[in-house]
Amino acid sequence: MDDKLIIGGMELENRLFIGTGKFPNKKIIPEVVKKSGSKVITMALRRVDLNSKQENILDYIPKDCILLPNTSGARNAEEAVRIAKLARAMGCGNWIKIEVISDNKYLLPDNYETIKATEMLAKEGFIVLPYMNPDLMVAKSLVNAGAAAVMPLGAPIGTNRGLQTKELIRILIEEIDIPIIVDAGIGKPSHAAQAMEMGAAAVLVNTAIATAKDPVKMAHAFNLSVKAGRLAYISKIAPEKKYAEASSPLTGFLNE
Amino acid sequence: MDDKLIIGGMELENRLFIGTGKFPNKKIIPEVVKKSGSKVITMALRRVDLNSKQENILDYIPKDCILLPNTSGARNAEEAVRIAKLARAMGCGNWIKIEVISDNKYLLPDNYETIKATEMLAKEGFIVLPYMNPDLMVAKSLVNAGAAAVMPLGAPIGTNRGLQTKELIRILIEEIDIPIIVDAGIGKPSHAAQAMEMGAAAVLVNTAIATAKDPVKMAHAFNLSVKAGRLAYISKIAPEKKYAEASSPLTGFLNE
Amino acid sequence: MDDKLIIGGMELENRLFIGTGKFPNKKIIPEVVKKSGSKVITMALRRVDLNSKQENILDYIPKDCILLPNTSGARNAEEAVRIAKLARAMGCGNWIKIEVISDNKYLLPDNYETIKATEMLAKEGFIVLPYMNPDLMVAKSLVNAGAAAVMPLGAPIGTNRGLQTKELIRILIEEIDIPIIVDAGIGKPSHAAQAMEMGAAAVLVNTAIATAKDPVKMAHAFNLSVKAGRLAYISKIAPEKKYAEASSPLTGFLNE
Amino acid sequence: MDDKLIIGGMELENRLFIGTGKFPNKKIIPEVVKKSGSKVITMALRRVDLNSKQENILDYIPKDCILLPNTSGARNAEEAVRIAKLARAMGCGNWIKIEVISDNKYLLPDNYETIKATEMLAKEGFIVLPYMNPDLMVAKSLVNAGAAAVMPLGAPIGTNRGLQTKELIRILIEEIDIPIIVDAGIGKPSHAAQAMEMGAAAVLVNTAIATAKDPVKMAHAFNLSVKAGRLAYISKIAPEKKYAEASSPLTGFLNE
């Protein structure tokens, strides 16, 4: 099948991105990554400590994955830029997920600081994936600022509430030419499938996998549901109808 | 994984059942069946004509599948029973999906006639899967009547509107001990995943596959989404939360 | 405005029916009834004790209201019929709301026993309003059995979950010629408005009023919302659109 | 009842704001205003032409209403400021609804230009009500910029699709201390009631009234539903429950 997702010049064979936070036990991360099929893994830079003798989150990420360090902890564009540069200097590569958050209750992003950070980092050669509150005008600004994709939230981080912002995301998918990756709020495989059926390019899932009772199986479930949603999008979903239509012939069977 | 679905003494390895109506071209049915992974295939008896020199729907169904002829066209219990017996006599086996429908606009089932037909056919050794309007008391009666599973509708047949009766189906899953198979209304893989995440034992899909632009890919999509939903159910989905919870450490990163 | 609701030959000026259960203090019931505007009041017969020296629920119901005793406690048609006759004998009039319930967890009605009770009581001259699980075929049977209206549930009694069965109720409204009164599950005025906007003839509310912090104000809120929903239905609601349409002229204002 | 809405120092007795666009016949506007109960009326400045000998939209607005001219047509902050000043100079008072829109398909607002315009106009003594894409950080900026209220959209203008952004609006209501007025997308009285039940301070409705078959009755319907939603909010809505709770005593009635 010739349905490639290309971001930052890389061809990605899997449309599920996963995060590494909240796992009860880091040792299961390699198996989670494997079953998820994911090739793009996000982690907070803070967890990456190359000098430490303690275990490092990077130890658990397969070498063939793209690292997507995030700027979690940044409260403005400058801090995000500093974290991004630090990440690159530490060998995490040049992909960066921008998170600029100053609201500690809902962890909602600051779209304008995010635009600023995107612009600065894109100029410095980063592949920039900004986390955003879904907003068409902001998405257009992010495209102009050089974002490689935009990552609108479905619901606040960690809430598992699904696509609460579905209508705004639908508009982004319709109007924006770079990939739309739904991030945050996805709590079940059906949510991920729904995003993909709408035409999202990919989804990022962390909490729903990490806090499931069986994270490995749940990673597998998301892997399948993302593929299912993408296949359905490509296969063109038949429209909803108001009245019933028989799948089987209905009348006269016994009277003939 | 030891997660078996057993109906009528048969162990089913796939929880997607598919129908054979509405396909623009019957020749693709074998490929659809293959990609769907389905081992239980429903068809209207009318399409089965063993004496015909014309092509027969059975010709397109792989031999390792269980046939689930339906009584489409029956307007009461007696007609359903006659069709079921005819199906068995014609070599379709002893599985039967009861459809008793006298409403031609919404094709909604007649629960009461369905109970009667279930009772009569179960006594005659059929494996009976009745299509029903979701209703806890009726489901209990169907269990008492000898149903092997119950098939509540998500929305009227062919409407692709998803789980409009979700709350009533949820109650059936919680209260009824035989398998609940969601039938009718499932229009997208995310709908199927949602049913499975709730604990449905299986889903039956026809229109959404048959009327997709690419039925073979769509069959594959449903195959994956049903597996995804089941895996999620088994892995125990984490609950929804009102407030956000960081996946990544949030504060003080640059200040340390 | 010439928009009358006629049930059992009575012209009802208000489309909100209310129940009398669960109030923390019965003394507020007269004020609740007044603010609700309701002229049809339901109560469990058990609460009606004409011989008692203790307070009686009927003492709190204004004399100009129609009493709608319900058969709560009945587990089959016969018990419902006995309770109905008892109610009439006790002077509660000839309106009866049939509730036949044998499920103690979800309190879901038994549609078939309800049909039987409806038929028996209609023949005896009762004005019969059966509580039902929404089901088109059953509603047709209830019409044939002589029901004066049908009362489909929106969600299980007391759950405040709104119109979970919206699609099934919509079909009843479209197909059934007697009044459809949505009963059970209505938890907020917006739910009541939604039912009325769809074309329901009336709604019955109990828990949402009785368990609000201020039941009198909440009764007033439901009174207004039911009127609002009915007025909207009569005024013909404009359809939803996918794309925006300016309310105000948009372009060129400053350039002219 | 002591439940006042105060904006810009004015005490408003009605929480429904209405718009004057799209009416098939301007002559019905006075009756619409009257039945709506609204005391705050918005109009595009372009429709206000004091020098014209032709009819002027202001002729149709009762004198006791607050005019809320909007900056429709503005594509950036500067244009919005110019329109606002023009409105004041023309005698429309000092209330201004900021609309800065450069997207002609979904008419989605430009939050950033909106913040700038708000700041400039608040400094000049305007009572500023900005139309916005719901976004917590932007709402905080609007508060800091001197907004008198914020007006998040429920869905794109004129779509009648209701509270598609419900979750984001809920967060604004919880976190922002100035009035939240839901604007755009409200297509039915039940949508308005829903916004008010959540704690919105007011709603603005235009298309749903102007394009109803009977705009006068629909204005009345919205008047009632907004009051209903507010009353319900004040009366404290009882929570949803998973399991049923009887309103009436259930068991043993006939056995005692």
Side-chain angles (χ1 to χ4, degrees):
Chain A
M1 184 173 54
D2 198 34
D3 174 47
K4 301 288 167 61
L5 172 60
I6 297 173
I7 294 178
M10 299 291 289
E11 202 174 289
L12 302 172
E13 62 184 270
N14 194 299
R15 290 167 182 274
L16 172 62
F17 295 10
I18 67 169
T20 52
K22 293 188 185 176
F23 281 91
N25 176 356
K26 276 184 238 169
K27 293 203 172 67
I28 64 169
I29 290 180
E31 189 63 14
V32 163
V33 172
K34 189 177 158 196
K35 290 290 190 187
S36 75
S38 185
K39 296 298 174 199
V40 180
I41 316 291
T42 191
M43 81 288 301
L45 187 59
R46 190 190 216 178
R47 291 221 185 77
V48 181
D49 184 354
L50 298 177
N51 303 319
S52 170
K53 283 169 192 156
Q54 291 189 300
E55 59 181 12
N56 187 304
I57 189 73
L58 293 186
D59 299 340
Y60 297 100
I61 302 176
K63 298 309 166 204
D64 65 337
C65 290
I66 293 171
L67 297 181
L68 178 61
N70 65 54
T71 66
S72 152
R75 286 155 304 182
N76 55 44
E78 276 186 23
E79 291 183 2
V81 169
R82 282 170 60 196
I83 296 174
K85 289 181 177 173
L86 206 52
R88 188 158 65 179
M90 285 165 80
C92 291
N94 66 342
W95 286 49
I96 190 80
K97 180 184 166 200
I98 299 183
E99 288 186 20
V100 181
I101 293 172
S102 55
D103 153 48
N104 285 325
K105 187 164 170 196
Y106 286 107
L107 305 177
L108 291 167
D110 184 323
N111 277 351
Y112 298 109
E113 293 294 316
T114 299
I115 295 170
K116 283 197 278 181
T118 297
E119 189 163 16
M120 290 188 271
L121 291 167
K123 277 184 186 147
E124 304 226 16
F126 282 88
I127 306 301
V128 187
L129 291 85
Y131 173 60
M132 72 178 302
N133 200 63
D135 181 319
L136 179 57
M137 295 304 121
V138 170
K140 288 181 177 177
S141 295
L142 289 168
V143 172
N144 291 337
V150 290
M151 306 186 81
L153 64 93
I157 293 172
T159 58
N160 290 332
R161 304 190 67 187
L163 302 190
Q164 299 286 330
T165 60
K166 186 178 166 182
E167 176 67 8
L168 298 175
I169 290 174
R170 187 184 69 73
I171 293 171
L172 295 191
I173 291 170
E174 195 167 312
E175 300 293 310
I176 299 294
D177 288 332
I178 62 175
I180 308 297
I181 302 171
V182 179
D183 180 16
I186 292 177
K188 300 174 186 175
S190 59
H191 297 156
Q194 195 186 12
M196 299 306 295
E197 286 164 356
M198 289 165 64
V203 298
L204 192 153
V205 178
N206 186 346
T207 301
I209 294 173
T211 67
K213 194 157 175 203
D214 186 334
V216 172
K217 273 205 188 76
M218 191 60 92
H220 188 195
F222 274 99
N223 186 4
L224 298 176
S225 76
V226 168
K227 284 186 169 64
R230 182 66 188 180
L231 272 169
Y233 175 72
I234 290 171
S235 312
K236 301 270 185 261
I237 296 165
E240 292 185 14
K241 293 184 178 158
K242 187 170 177 187
Y243 296 109
E245 271 187 30
S247 303
S248 309
L250 270 180
T251 51
F253 176 72
L254 293 169
N255 303 325
E256 285 168 16
Chain B
M1 186 173 52
D2 198 33
D3 174 47
K4 301 286 168 60
L5 172 59
I6 296 173
I7 294 180
M10 299 290 290
E11 200 174 291
L12 302 173
E13 61 184 271
N14 194 300
R15 289 168 183 272
L16 173 63
F17 294 11
I18 67 170
T20 52
K22 292 188 185 177
F23 281 90
N25 177 355
K26 276 183 238 169
K27 294 203 171 66
I28 64 169
I29 290 180
E31 188 64 14
V32 164
V33 172
K34 189 177 159 195
K35 291 290 189 187
S36 74
S38 186
K39 296 297 173 200
V40 180
I41 317 291
T42 190
M43 81 288 300
L45 187 59
R46 189 190 216 176
R47 292 220 184 77
V48 181
D49 184 353
L50 298 176
N51 303 318
S52 171
K53 284 168 192 157
Q54 290 188 299
E55 59 181 13
N56 187 304
I57 189 72
L58 293 185
D59 299 340
Y60 298 101
I61 301 177
K63 299 307 165 204
D64 65 337
C65 290
I66 293 171
L67 297 180
L68 179 62
N70 64 55
T71 67
S72 152
R75 285 155 304 183
N76 54 45
E78 277 186 23
E79 291 183 3
V81 169
R82 282 170 60 196
I83 296 173
K85 289 181 177 174
L86 206 52
R88 188 159 63 179
M90 285 166 78
C92 289
N94 66 343
W95 285 48
I96 190 78
K97 179 183 166 201
I98 299 181
E99 289 186 19
V100 181
I101 292 172
S102 56
D103 152 49
N104 285 324
K105 187 165 170 194
Y106 287 108
L107 305 177
L108 291 166
D110 184 323
N111 278 351
Y112 197 39
E113 292 294 316
T114 299
I115 295 169
K116 284 197 280 181
T118 298
E119 189 162 15
M120 291 188 271
L121 290 167
K123 278 183 187 148
E124 304 227 14
F126 283 87
I127 306 301
V128 187
L129 292 84
Y131 173 59
M132 71 177 304
N133 200 64
D135 182 318
L136 178 57
M137 295 304 120
V138 171
K140 288 181 177 178
S141 295
L142 289 168
V143 172
N144 291 337
V150 290
M151 306 187 79
L153 64 94
I157 293 172
T159 58
N160 289 332
R161 304 189 67 187
L163 304 189
Q164 299 285 331
T165 60
K166 186 179 166 182
E167 176 66 8
L168 299 176
I169 291 174
R170 187 184 68 73
I171 292 171
L172 294 191
I173 291 170
E174 197 168 310
E175 299 294 309
I176 298 295
D177 287 333
I178 62 175
I180 307 297
I181 302 173
V182 179
D183 181 15
I186 292 179
K188 300 174 185 176
S190 58
H191 297 158
Q194 194 186 12
M196 300 305 296
E197 287 164 357
M198 287 165 65
V203 299
L204 191 154
V205 180
N206 186 345
T207 302
I209 293 174
T211 67
K213 195 158 174 202
D214 186 335
V216 173
K217 273 204 186 78
M218 191 60 93
H220 188 195
F222 273 99
N223 187 3
L224 297 175
S225 75
V226 168
K227 285 186 168 62
R230 183 66 188 179
L231 272 169
Y233 176 71
I234 291 171
S235 312
K236 302 268 185 260
I237 296 165
E240 293 186 15
K241 293 185 179 158
K242 187 171 178 188
Y243 296 109
E245 271 187 31
S247 303
S248 309
L250 268 181
T251 51
F253 176 72
L254 293 170
N255 303 325
E256 284 168 16
Chain C
M1 186 173 52
D2 199 34
D3 175 45
K4 301 289 167 59
L5 172 59
I6 296 173
I7 294 179
M10 300 290 290
E11 200 175 290
L12 302 172
E13 60 184 271
N14 194 299
R15 290 168 182 273
L16 173 62
F17 294 10
I18 66 170
T20 52
K22 292 190 185 175
F23 281 91
N25 175 356
K26 276 184 237 167
K27 292 202 172 67
I28 64 168
I29 291 180
E31 189 63 14
V32 163
V33 172
K34 190 177 157 195
K35 291 290 189 188
S36 75
S38 185
K39 296 298 173 199
V40 181
I41 317 292
T42 191
M43 82 286 301
L45 187 60
R46 188 189 216 178
R47 291 220 185 78
V48 181
D49 183 354
L50 297 176
N51 302 320
S52 171
K53 283 167 190 158
Q54 290 189 301
E55 57 180 12
N56 187 303
I57 189 73
L58 293 184
D59 299 341
Y60 298 100
I61 300 176
K63 299 306 166 204
D64 65 336
C65 289
I66 293 171
L67 297 181
L68 179 61
N70 65 55
T71 66
S72 150
R75 287 155 303 182
N76 54 45
E78 277 186 23
E79 290 182 2
V81 168
R82 282 169 61 196
I83 295 174
K85 290 181 177 175
L86 205 53
R88 186 157 67 178
M90 285 165 79
C92 290
N94 67 342
W95 286 48
I96 190 77
K97 180 184 166 199
I98 299 182
E99 289 185 19
V100 180
I101 293 172
S102 55
D103 152 50
N104 285 325
K105 187 164 171 195
Y106 287 107
L107 304 177
L108 291 167
D110 184 322
N111 278 351
Y112 297 109
E113 292 294 317
T114 299
I115 295 169
K116 283 197 277 180
T118 298
E119 189 162 15
M120 291 188 269
L121 290 167
K123 277 184 187 148
E124 304 227 15
F126 282 87
I127 307 299
V128 186
L129 291 85
Y131 173 60
M132 73 179 301
N133 201 62
D135 181 319
L136 179 56
M137 295 305 120
V138 171
K140 288 180 177 177
S141 296
L142 288 169
V143 171
N144 292 336
V150 290
M151 306 185 81
L153 64 94
I157 293 173
T159 59
N160 290 330
R161 304 190 67 186
L163 304 188
Q164 299 286 331
T165 60
K166 187 178 166 182
E167 177 66 7
L168 299 175
I169 290 175
R170 188 184 68 72
I171 292 171
L172 295 190
I173 291 170
E174 197 169 308
E175 299 294 309
I176 298 295
D177 288 332
I178 63 174
I180 307 297
I181 302 172
V182 179
D183 182 16
I186 292 180
K188 298 174 185 176
S190 59
H191 297 157
Q194 195 186 11
M196 299 306 295
E197 287 164 356
M198 287 166 66
V203 297
L204 192 153
V205 179
N206 186 348
T207 301
I209 293 174
T211 67
K213 193 157 176 203
D214 185 334
V216 173
K217 273 206 187 77
M218 192 60 93
H220 188 196
F222 273 99
N223 186 4
L224 298 175
S225 75
V226 168
K227 285 186 168 64
R230 183 65 188 179
L231 273 169
Y233 175 71
I234 290 171
S235 312
K236 302 267 185 260
I237 296 165
E240 293 186 13
K241 292 183 179 160
K242 187 170 177 189
Y243 296 109
E245 270 186 32
S247 304
S248 310
L250 269 181
T251 51
F253 176 72
L254 293 168
N255 303 326
E256 285 168 14
Chain D
M1 186 173 54
D2 199 34
D3 175 46
K4 301 289 168 57
L5 172 60
I6 296 173
I7 295 178
M10 300 290 290
E11 200 174 290
L12 302 172
E13 61 184 271
N14 194 298
R15 290 168 182 273
L16 173 63
F17 295 10
I18 67 170
T20 52
K22 293 189 186 176
F23 281 91
N25 176 356
K26 275 183 238 168
K27 292 203 172 67
I28 64 167
I29 291 180
E31 190 63 13
V32 164
V33 172
K34 190 177 158 195
K35 290 291 189 188
S36 75
S38 185
K39 295 299 173 198
V40 180
I41 317 291
T42 191
M43 82 286 301
L45 188 59
R46 189 188 215 178
R47 292 221 184 76
V48 181
D49 183 353
L50 297 175
N51 303 319
S52 169
K53 283 166 191 157
Q54 291 189 299
E55 58 180 12
N56 187 304
I57 189 73
L58 293 186
D59 300 341
Y60 297 100
I61 301 177
K63 297 309 166 203
D64 65 336
C65 290
I66 293 171
L67 297 181
L68 179 61
N70 65 54
T71 66
S72 150
R75 287 154 304 183
N76 54 45
E78 276 186 23
E79 290 183 3
V81 169
R82 281 169 62 196
I83 295 174
K85 289 181 176 173
L86 206 53
R88 186 157 67 178
M90 286 165 79
C92 289
N94 66 343
W95 285 48
I96 189 78
K97 180 185 165 198
I98 298 182
E99 289 186 19
V100 181
I101 293 172
S102 56
D103 153 48
N104 285 324
K105 188 165 169 195
Y106 287 106
L107 305 177
L108 291 167
D110 185 322
N111 278 351
Y112 197 40
E113 292 293 316
T114 299
I115 295 169
K116 284 198 279 181
T118 298
E119 188 162 17
M120 290 188 270
L121 290 167
K123 277 183 186 149
E124 305 227 16
F126 282 87
I127 307 301
V128 187
L129 291 84
Y131 174 59
M132 73 177 302
N133 200 64
D135 181 319
L136 178 57
M137 295 303 121
V138 170
K140 288 181 177 177
S141 296
L142 289 169
V143 171
N144 292 336
V150 291
M151 305 186 80
L153 64 92
I157 293 173
T159 57
N160 291 331
R161 304 189 68 187
L163 304 190
Q164 299 285 331
T165 60
K166 187 177 166 184
E167 176 66 8
L168 299 175
I169 290 175
R170 188 183 69 73
I171 293 171
L172 294 190
I173 291 170
E174 196 168 310
E175 299 294 308
I176 298 294
D177 288 333
I178 63 174
I180 307 297
I181 302 171
V182 178
D183 182 15
I186 292 179
K188 299 175 185 175
S190 59
H191 297 157
Q194 195 186 11
M196 300 305 296
E197 287 164 357
M198 288 165 64
V203 298
L204 192 154
V205 178
N206 186 346
T207 301
I209 294 174
T211 67
K213 194 157 177 204
D214 186 334
V216 172
K217 272 205 189 80
M218 192 60 93
H220 189 196
F222 274 99
N223 186 3
L224 297 176
S225 75
V226 168
K227 284 186 170 62
R230 182 66 189 179
L231 272 169
Y233 175 71
I234 290 171
S235 312
K236 301 266 184 265
I237 297 164
E240 293 185 13
K241 292 183 179 160
K242 186 169 179 190
Y243 295 109
E245 271 187 30
S247 303
S248 309
L250 269 181
T251 51
F253 177 72
L254 294 168
N255 304 326
E256 286 168 16

